[in-house]
């Protein structure tokens, strides 16, 4: 077994990560991805315009509203939601294929989408990233300098709605001290990837009986 090859289980894990925008989700996930090979982001479809530096097919599949509605109507989306007036959705087929091939997938989606995933794929592990406080979200969005002031105001207002949904998640991580939060998130991923249910091949290889 090569270094960290154990991060590839028999069947991949589906991780859902939510949190109000500006909490530090992208920052945390970037660090955890660098530590744990075998994790992949699902690339969502969205009707929002690309931001500078974003590439079609990398951050998102940028699609027209009609194309999005067609994907949704034909059942090709695992979940979908309207956020800040734009549609976002997770293409179903790539997620199902990846899990079957033992690759683990991370969905960075809002609380509306996470609730749908819980229904359609109950085995999903749902993690909510909390800010130390609501004020910190505003400070981080201003410091990130990616959005106009009115967009920041809207994101802060929406943050309250998102945060109110944290009670239905499996794990909560408060992103206060960055290194501690990276360790916390990484620990959740590692523990979930080592669950016995995902390791029946190890059980069998040592002559054990794979239960469940
Ligand atoms: P999100 O993906 O949740 O919208 P980002 O990862 O873009 O948030 O983080 C928003 C801003 O906060 C960025 O400028 C990032 O560098 C900063 N940030 C992230 N985590 C922390 C932390 N633990 N302490 C201080 N600043 C942070
Ligand atoms: P942004 O426009 O900043 O990239 O994303 C805005 C919000 O949309 C974030 O809260 C993000 O989690 C959410 N989002 C991105 N992709 C999806 C998706 O496929 N489905 C759902 N439900 N939310 C998404």
């Amino acid at each position: 077994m090569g270094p960290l090859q154990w991060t590839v289980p028999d069947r991949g894990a589906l991780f859902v990560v939510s949190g109000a925008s500006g909490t530090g989700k992208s920052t945390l996930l970037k660090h955890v991805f660098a530590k744990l090979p075998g994790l992949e982001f699902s690339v969502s479809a969205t009707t929002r315009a690309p931001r500078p530096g974003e590439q079609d097919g990398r951050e998102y599949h940028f699609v027209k509203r009609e194309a999005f509605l067609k994907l949704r109507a034909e059942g090709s989306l695992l979940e979908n939601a309207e956020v800040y007036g734009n549609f976002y959705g997770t293409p179903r087929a790539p997620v199902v294929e990846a899990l079957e091939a033992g690759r683990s997938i991370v969905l960075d989606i809002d609380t509306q989408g996470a609730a749908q995933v819980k229904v359609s794929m109950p085995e999903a592990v749902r993690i909510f990233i909390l800010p130390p406080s609501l004020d910190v979200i505003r400070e981080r969005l201003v410091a990130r300098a990616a959005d106009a002031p009115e967009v920041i105001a809207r994101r802060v207002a929406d943050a309250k709605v998102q945060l109110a949904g944290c009670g239905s998640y499996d794990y909560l991580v408060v992103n206060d001290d960055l290194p501690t939060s990276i360790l916390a998130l990484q620990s959740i991923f590692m523990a979930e990837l080592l669950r016995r249910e995902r390791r029946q091949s190890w059980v069998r290889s040592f002559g054990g009986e794979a239960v469940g």
Side-chain angles (χ1 to χ4, degrees):
M1 203 182 298
L4 286 183
Q5 275 312 297
W6 59 264
T7 53
V8 180
D10 300 335
R11 175 177 159 79
L14 179 60
F15 295 101
V16 175
V17 183
S18 303
S21 142
T23 309
K25 241 182 332 166
S26 320
T27 307
L28 288 173
L29 286 170
K30 189 182 72 190
H31 282 93
V32 172
F33 270 60
K35 295 257 170 66
L36 293 181
L39 294 177
E40 293 173 20
F41 268 121
S42 155
V43 180
S44 299
T46 183
T47 57
R48 94 152 156 72
R51 297 197 186 113
E54 286 184 335
Q55 249 178 46
D56 187 36
R58 192 179 62 185
E59 281 80 10
Y60 286 102
H61 300 291
F62 295 101
V63 298
K64 294 253 181 303
R65 195 182 158 88
E66 299 68 44
F68 188 96
L69 294 176
K70 183 163 177 283
L71 286 173
R72 193 172 71 172
E74 67 195 19
S76 303
L77 301 177
L78 184 58
E79 59 74 37
N80 72 94
E82 192 173 347
V83 185
Y84 314 126
N86 292 304
F87 290 119
Y88 294 82
T90 304
R92 184 191 300 272
V95 172
V96 172
E97 280 162 25
L99 298 181
E100 281 170 5
R103 291 166 11 235
S104 294
I105 294 288
V106 177
L107 305 183
D108 169 357
I109 60 177
D110 79 328
T111 50
Q112 306 169 68
Q116 295 169 46
V117 174
K118 188 183 182 187
V119 174
S120 53
M121 301 194 105
E123 83 264 30
V125 178
R126 290 161 321 120
I127 306 163
F128 199 97
I129 313 293
L130 289 164
S133 72
L134 209 51
D135 286 343
V136 168
I137 288 193
R138 191 192 319 271
E139 287 162 19
R140 288 186 186 162
L141 285 173
V142 171
R144 186 171 71 180
D147 302 305
E150 63 273 19
V151 175
I152 290 184
R154 203 173 54 195
R155 284 183 187 275
V156 172
D158 184 65
K160 293 184 185 165
V161 177
Q162 292 295 314
L163 286 164
C166 73
S168 58
Y169 282 69
D170 301 310
Y171 294 95
L172 303 177
V173 174
V174 178
N175 182 20
D176 193 349
D177 173 61
L178 186 59
T180 306
S181 310
I182 294 167
L183 184 59
L185 189 59
Q186 189 184 341
S187 303
I188 296 167
F189 279 68
M190 289 169 87
E192 287 290 340
L193 288 167
L194 290 167
R195 290 189 74 93
R196 192 257 309 143
E197 295 89 326
R198 298 190 209 288
R199 300 296 169 178
Q200 303 294 35
S201 57
W202 286 356
V203 173
R204 282 190 293 268
S205 74
F206 289 103
E209 195 185 333
V211 181

